[in-house]
Amino acid sequence: MATPMTPDQWLKALRAEGVKVEEYPGWRTRGRDAATGKTFGPVRMFLNHHTAGRNARDVVAKNGVSGLPGPLAHVYLARSGVATMCSAGRANHAGLMASNAYASFRDEAASHPTPSKASGTVDGNDVSYGIETENRGDEEDVYPRIQYDAWVRINAAVCRFHGWGHDSVGCHKETSIEGKVDPRGPVEGYGSRGRFAFTPYQFRLDVQERLAHPASWNPNDETEPEKEEDMTPAQERLLAKVAADVAALKAGAAVAPWTYRNPAQDKESRAAGHRIPDMHGRIENLQTSIDALTKAVAELKKGA
């Protein structure tokens, strides 16, 4: 169980995760606590919804709908990827949750059962944060890439703040005893992935991936190639001598005999703690060339 985030904690967590955030007037003190006589929290999961319409920010943040006063969620996520904070208190978003479904999220179970009313019910508005993501929910309206990315970030930000895993992330259709279907619909893409259908399973995997990285991570980040460390002066001289000797031998000149010594053992290398990838192999290959050329020169001199 966790104490609900304060307004300042919300903003800090979301912005650290790279979410563009706006504040709806009065959101810091808006909630259903006083009207219901129930205190919001402790919280144990994050519940995801779609709005079933467009341009519903005022409805979600303040106005509500017939028979269901606002706020209807803590966060409203527009198609643009901008998140609007709507409430820091109790919000009318979850309704009654099936106890068996809720327990699976509360306990971060690896699987989440079909909601069963027979298992009992829990007031989901007491125990969960909620987000309304702008989409008609008709299975044709597409979640833009930028919106889905922000959606994953928002869930990850809350999980990261509370130390929750990705199995604390749920969808309304996974907890409702009323047969809710949200969220659903096609997603334009995410990271290197093209178009796909929204599923709670894939969504949790994307949140899980994000939680495995720092909050500053972006799904399109490419792994930078490893850079070779700078060589010490002794190593530079060694490579220069090898190259010079090979060139001299190819030109028919004599070179002074020498024995290769692992550069990691020279004093300067040890002091600097350098590791030069593939350097040993490169030098050993060159030394093999020197030995072969030296032998060939010697044979030629015998036959002269």
PDB file of all heavy atoms in Angstrom, residues 50 135 137-143 173 181 183-187 196-199:
ATOM      1  N   HIS A  50      -9.863   4.569 -21.730  1.00  0.00           N
ATOM      2  CA  HIS A  50      -9.974   5.508 -22.854  1.00  0.00           C
ATOM      3  C   HIS A  50     -11.229   6.351 -22.640  1.00  0.00           C
ATOM      4  O   HIS A  50     -12.158   5.946 -21.927  1.00  0.00           O
ATOM      5  CB  HIS A  50      -9.989   4.794 -24.213  1.00  0.00           C
ATOM      6  CG  HIS A  50     -11.165   3.915 -24.477  1.00  0.00           C
ATOM      7  ND1 HIS A  50     -11.052   2.609 -24.925  1.00  0.00           N
ATOM      8  CD2 HIS A  50     -12.511   4.129 -24.378  1.00  0.00           C
ATOM      9  CE1 HIS A  50     -12.245   2.079 -25.097  1.00  0.00           C
ATOM     10  NE2 HIS A  50     -13.153   2.984 -24.770  1.00  0.00           N
ATOM     11  N   ASN A 135      -9.396   8.805 -26.827  1.00  0.00           N
ATOM     12  CA  ASN A 135      -9.618   7.886 -27.936  1.00  0.00           C
ATOM     13  C   ASN A 135     -11.098   7.523 -27.955  1.00  0.00           C
ATOM     14  O   ASN A 135     -11.713   7.351 -26.905  1.00  0.00           O
ATOM     15  CB  ASN A 135      -8.766   6.623 -27.790  1.00  0.00           C
ATOM     16  CG  ASN A 135      -8.809   5.735 -29.006  1.00  0.00           C
ATOM     17  OD1 ASN A 135      -9.730   4.945 -29.178  1.00  0.00           O
ATOM     18  ND2 ASN A 135      -7.807   5.857 -29.865  1.00  0.00           N
ATOM     19  N   GLY A 137     -12.432   4.787 -28.790  1.00  0.00           N
ATOM     20  CA  GLY A 137     -12.675   3.441 -28.306  1.00  0.00           C
ATOM     21  C   GLY A 137     -13.511   2.591 -29.235  1.00  0.00           C
ATOM     22  O   GLY A 137     -14.084   1.576 -28.826  1.00  0.00           O
ATOM     23  N   ASP A 138     -13.566   2.987 -30.517  1.00  0.00           N
ATOM     24  CA  ASP A 138     -14.377   2.248 -31.494  1.00  0.00           C
ATOM     25  C   ASP A 138     -13.563   1.211 -32.255  1.00  0.00           C
ATOM     26  O   ASP A 138     -14.045   0.626 -33.221  1.00  0.00           O
ATOM     27  CB  ASP A 138     -15.039   3.218 -32.473  1.00  0.00           C
ATOM     28  CG  ASP A 138     -14.032   4.103 -33.201  1.00  0.00           C
ATOM     29  OD1 ASP A 138     -12.803   3.896 -33.025  1.00  0.00           O
ATOM     30  OD2 ASP A 138     -14.459   5.011 -33.937  1.00  0.00           O
ATOM     31  N   GLU A 139     -12.313   1.010 -31.839  1.00  0.00           N
ATOM     32  CA  GLU A 139     -11.378   0.072 -32.468  1.00  0.00           C
ATOM     33  C   GLU A 139     -10.931   0.521 -33.853  1.00  0.00           C
ATOM     34  O   GLU A 139     -10.294  -0.249 -34.572  1.00  0.00           O
ATOM     35  CB  GLU A 139     -11.957  -1.350 -32.507  1.00  0.00           C
ATOM     36  CG  GLU A 139     -12.198  -1.918 -31.122  1.00  0.00           C
ATOM     37  CD  GLU A 139     -12.541  -3.390 -31.131  1.00  0.00           C
ATOM     38  OE1 GLU A 139     -13.700  -3.731 -31.401  1.00  0.00           O
ATOM     39  OE2 GLU A 139     -11.615  -4.193 -30.872  1.00  0.00           O
ATOM     40  N   GLU A 140     -11.274   1.746 -34.209  1.00  0.00           N
ATOM     41  CA  GLU A 140     -10.784   2.338 -35.463  1.00  0.00           C
ATOM     42  C   GLU A 140      -9.937   3.570 -35.189  1.00  0.00           C
ATOM     43  O   GLU A 140      -8.994   3.854 -35.925  1.00  0.00           O
ATOM     44  CB  GLU A 140     -11.957   2.694 -36.381  1.00  0.00           C
ATOM     45  CG  GLU A 140     -12.744   1.488 -36.875  1.00  0.00           C
ATOM     46  CD  GLU A 140     -13.855   1.872 -37.826  1.00  0.00           C
ATOM     47  OE1 GLU A 140     -13.979   3.086 -38.144  1.00  0.00           O
ATOM     48  OE2 GLU A 140     -14.605   0.986 -38.258  1.00  0.00           O
ATOM     49  N   ASP A 141     -10.272   4.289 -34.155  1.00  0.00           N
ATOM     50  CA  ASP A 141      -9.518   5.484 -33.783  1.00  0.00           C
ATOM     51  C   ASP A 141      -8.123   5.062 -33.315  1.00  0.00           C
ATOM     52  O   ASP A 141      -7.979   4.215 -32.433  1.00  0.00           O
ATOM     53  CB  ASP A 141     -10.254   6.220 -32.663  1.00  0.00           C
ATOM     54  CG  ASP A 141      -9.740   7.628 -32.453  1.00  0.00           C
ATOM     55  OD1 ASP A 141      -8.997   8.135 -33.322  1.00  0.00           O
ATOM     56  OD2 ASP A 141     -10.091   8.244 -31.420  1.00  0.00           O
ATOM     57  N   VAL A 142      -7.102   5.641 -33.928  1.00  0.00           N
ATOM     58  CA  VAL A 142      -5.718   5.236 -33.676  1.00  0.00           C
ATOM     59  C   VAL A 142      -5.080   6.095 -32.586  1.00  0.00           C
ATOM     60  O   VAL A 142      -5.205   7.321 -32.603  1.00  0.00           O
ATOM     61  CB  VAL A 142      -4.878   5.336 -34.966  1.00  0.00           C
ATOM     62  CG1 VAL A 142      -3.424   4.964 -34.695  1.00  0.00           C
ATOM     63  CG2 VAL A 142      -5.469   4.441 -36.048  1.00  0.00           C
ATOM     64  N   TYR A 143      -4.400   5.441 -31.652  1.00  0.00           N
ATOM     65  CA  TYR A 143      -3.586   6.156 -30.675  1.00  0.00           C
ATOM     66  C   TYR A 143      -2.298   6.591 -31.380  1.00  0.00           C
ATOM     67  O   TYR A 143      -1.520   5.740 -31.822  1.00  0.00           O
ATOM     68  CB  TYR A 143      -3.214   5.255 -29.498  1.00  0.00           C
ATOM     69  CG  TYR A 143      -4.371   4.774 -28.658  1.00  0.00           C
ATOM     70  CD1 TYR A 143      -4.900   3.489 -28.843  1.00  0.00           C
ATOM     71  CD2 TYR A 143      -4.931   5.582 -27.682  1.00  0.00           C
ATOM     72  CE1 TYR A 143      -5.957   3.035 -28.062  1.00  0.00           C
ATOM     73  CE2 TYR A 143      -5.984   5.129 -26.901  1.00  0.00           C
ATOM     74  CZ  TYR A 143      -6.496   3.857 -27.092  1.00  0.00           C
ATOM     75  OH  TYR A 143      -7.545   3.408 -26.320  1.00  0.00           O
ATOM     76  N   LYS A 173     -10.953  -2.805 -18.221  1.00  0.00           N
ATOM     77  CA  LYS A 173     -11.620  -4.060 -18.588  1.00  0.00           C
ATOM     78  C   LYS A 173     -11.090  -5.250 -17.800  1.00  0.00           C
ATOM     79  O   LYS A 173     -11.723  -6.315 -17.786  1.00  0.00           O
ATOM     80  CB  LYS A 173     -11.470  -4.316 -20.078  1.00  0.00           C
ATOM     81  CG  LYS A 173     -10.041  -4.405 -20.595  1.00  0.00           C
ATOM     82  CD  LYS A 173     -10.046  -4.484 -22.107  1.00  0.00           C
ATOM     83  CE  LYS A 173      -8.661  -4.408 -22.719  1.00  0.00           C
ATOM     84  NZ  LYS A 173      -8.736  -4.334 -24.206  1.00  0.00           N
ATOM     85  N   VAL A 181     -14.895  -2.215 -21.564  1.00  0.00           N
ATOM     86  CA  VAL A 181     -14.032  -2.713 -22.639  1.00  0.00           C
ATOM     87  C   VAL A 181     -12.760  -1.897 -22.805  1.00  0.00           C
ATOM     88  O   VAL A 181     -11.941  -2.189 -23.676  1.00  0.00           O
ATOM     89  CB  VAL A 181     -14.791  -2.729 -23.984  1.00  0.00           C
ATOM     90  CG1 VAL A 181     -15.997  -3.655 -23.910  1.00  0.00           C
ATOM     91  CG2 VAL A 181     -15.227  -1.312 -24.395  1.00  0.00           C
ATOM     92  N   PRO A 183      -9.071   0.061 -21.959  1.00  0.00           N
ATOM     93  CA  PRO A 183      -8.872   0.720 -23.262  1.00  0.00           C
ATOM     94  C   PRO A 183      -8.689  -0.303 -24.387  1.00  0.00           C
ATOM     95  O   PRO A 183      -8.272  -1.432 -24.161  1.00  0.00           O
ATOM     96  CB  PRO A 183      -7.598   1.527 -23.053  1.00  0.00           C
ATOM     97  CG  PRO A 183      -6.864   0.840 -21.956  1.00  0.00           C
ATOM     98  CD  PRO A 183      -7.858   0.085 -21.135  1.00  0.00           C
ATOM     99  N   ARG A 184      -8.983   0.151 -25.590  1.00  0.00           N
ATOM    100  CA  ARG A 184      -8.796  -0.688 -26.761  1.00  0.00           C
ATOM    101  C   ARG A 184      -8.564   0.203 -27.967  1.00  0.00           C
ATOM    102  O   ARG A 184      -8.811   1.407 -27.916  1.00  0.00           O
ATOM    103  CB  ARG A 184     -10.006  -1.590 -27.003  1.00  0.00           C
ATOM    104  CG  ARG A 184     -11.282  -0.840 -27.362  1.00  0.00           C
ATOM    105  CD  ARG A 184     -12.443  -1.784 -27.553  1.00  0.00           C
ATOM    106  NE  ARG A 184     -13.658  -1.071 -27.955  1.00  0.00           N
ATOM    107  CZ  ARG A 184     -14.833  -1.655 -28.160  1.00  0.00           C
ATOM    108  NH1 ARG A 184     -14.951  -2.968 -28.001  1.00  0.00           N
ATOM    109  NH2 ARG A 184     -15.881  -0.937 -28.527  1.00  0.00           N
ATOM    110  N   GLY A 185      -8.101  -0.420 -29.071  1.00  0.00           N
ATOM    111  CA  GLY A 185      -7.887   0.320 -30.302  1.00  0.00           C
ATOM    112  C   GLY A 185      -6.486   0.145 -30.853  1.00  0.00           C
ATOM    113  O   GLY A 185      -5.580  -0.322 -30.158  1.00  0.00           O
ATOM    114  N   PRO A 186      -6.284   0.523 -32.114  1.00  0.00           N
ATOM    115  CA  PRO A 186      -4.961   0.391 -32.738  1.00  0.00           C
ATOM    116  C   PRO A 186      -4.003   1.493 -32.283  1.00  0.00           C
ATOM    117  O   PRO A 186      -4.419   2.620 -32.002  1.00  0.00           O
ATOM    118  CB  PRO A 186      -5.273   0.522 -34.234  1.00  0.00           C
ATOM    119  CG  PRO A 186      -6.533   1.333 -34.281  1.00  0.00           C
ATOM    120  CD  PRO A 186      -7.315   0.984 -33.067  1.00  0.00           C
ATOM    121  N   VAL A 187      -2.727   1.127 -32.228  1.00  0.00           N
ATOM    122  CA  VAL A 187      -1.664   2.072 -31.860  1.00  0.00           C
ATOM    123  C   VAL A 187      -0.790   2.300 -33.082  1.00  0.00           C
ATOM    124  O   VAL A 187      -0.415   1.334 -33.774  1.00  0.00           O
ATOM    125  CB  VAL A 187      -0.815   1.523 -30.694  1.00  0.00           C
ATOM    126  CG1 VAL A 187       0.268   2.525 -30.304  1.00  0.00           C
ATOM    127  CG2 VAL A 187      -1.703   1.179 -29.508  1.00  0.00           C
ATOM    128  N   PHE A 196       0.184  -1.689 -34.147  1.00  0.00           N
ATOM    129  CA  PHE A 196      -0.239  -2.883 -33.425  1.00  0.00           C
ATOM    130  C   PHE A 196      -1.508  -2.554 -32.640  1.00  0.00           C
ATOM    131  O   PHE A 196      -1.854  -1.384 -32.448  1.00  0.00           O
ATOM    132  CB  PHE A 196       0.862  -3.383 -32.477  1.00  0.00           C
ATOM    133  CG  PHE A 196       1.253  -2.399 -31.396  1.00  0.00           C
ATOM    134  CD1 PHE A 196       0.720  -2.485 -30.118  1.00  0.00           C
ATOM    135  CD2 PHE A 196       2.173  -1.390 -31.659  1.00  0.00           C
ATOM    136  CE1 PHE A 196       1.078  -1.596 -29.121  1.00  0.00           C
ATOM    137  CE2 PHE A 196       2.542  -0.481 -30.665  1.00  0.00           C
ATOM    138  CZ  PHE A 196       1.987  -0.590 -29.389  1.00  0.00           C
ATOM    139  N   ALA A 197      -2.205  -3.568 -32.209  1.00  0.00           N
ATOM    140  CA  ALA A 197      -3.419  -3.389 -31.422  1.00  0.00           C
ATOM    141  C   ALA A 197      -3.068  -3.269 -29.943  1.00  0.00           C
ATOM    142  O   ALA A 197      -2.227  -4.018 -29.427  1.00  0.00           O
ATOM    143  CB  ALA A 197      -4.370  -4.559 -31.639  1.00  0.00           C
ATOM    144  N   PHE A 198      -3.703  -2.323 -29.262  1.00  0.00           N
ATOM    145  CA  PHE A 198      -3.468  -2.182 -27.822  1.00  0.00           C
ATOM    146  C   PHE A 198      -3.929  -3.442 -27.099  1.00  0.00           C
ATOM    147  O   PHE A 198      -5.028  -3.940 -27.309  1.00  0.00           O
ATOM    148  CB  PHE A 198      -4.234  -0.982 -27.267  1.00  0.00           C
ATOM    149  CG  PHE A 198      -4.048  -0.811 -25.781  1.00  0.00           C
ATOM    150  CD1 PHE A 198      -3.087   0.047 -25.295  1.00  0.00           C
ATOM    151  CD2 PHE A 198      -4.816  -1.531 -24.865  1.00  0.00           C
ATOM    152  CE1 PHE A 198      -2.888   0.190 -23.916  1.00  0.00           C
ATOM    153  CE2 PHE A 198      -4.626  -1.405 -23.497  1.00  0.00           C
ATOM    154  CZ  PHE A 198      -3.659  -0.537 -23.022  1.00  0.00           C
ATOM    155  N   THR A 199      -3.064  -3.944 -26.238  1.00  0.00           N
ATOM    156  CA  THR A 199      -3.445  -5.021 -25.326  1.00  0.00           C
ATOM    157  C   THR A 199      -2.828  -4.714 -23.961  1.00  0.00           C
ATOM    158  O   THR A 199      -1.723  -4.155 -23.888  1.00  0.00           O
ATOM    159  CB  THR A 199      -2.956  -6.406 -25.786  1.00  0.00           C
ATOM    160  OG1 THR A 199      -1.514  -6.432 -25.756  1.00  0.00           O
ATOM    161  CG2 THR A 199      -3.455  -6.738 -27.190  1.00  0.00           C
TER     162      THR A 199
END
